[in-house]
Amino acid sequence: GATTVVVRLSRVEGDIALCVEDNGFGLSTSEAESRKLGDGLSNMRARAQAIGGILTVQSGPMLGTSVTVTVPTSAPDAPKFR
């Protein structure tokens, strides 16, 4: 399993990005995109899309996993930050 988890929240060129990455066992591309592992990633993707964002998953066996949601702050449904 993972021994390190890094969470980053950043603002880049008008987008807000939240990235969570670990150094765990990782996923194969087919596992990451399939429903074999449950509904978690598909639910996160749907929620990101609902606010005008995108979800990206980068992973590979024994390479850890990085999950990033990026939301443009100019999108009509984008969260409002003060």
Side-chain angles (χ1 to χ4, degrees), residues 32-73:
E33 296 302 321
S34 76
R35 297 184 69 104
K36 286 189 259 182
L37 299 176
D39 294 326
L41 291 175
S42 60
N43 285 341
M44 286 189 278
R45 183 168 283 115
R47 290 176 183 190
Q49 289 173 345
I51 59 171
I54 58 169
L55 182 89
T56 56
V57 178
Q58 296 179 321
S59 189
M62 305 309 293
L63 297 175
T65 302
S66 173
V67 178
T68 303
V69 63
T70 304
V71 180
T73 57

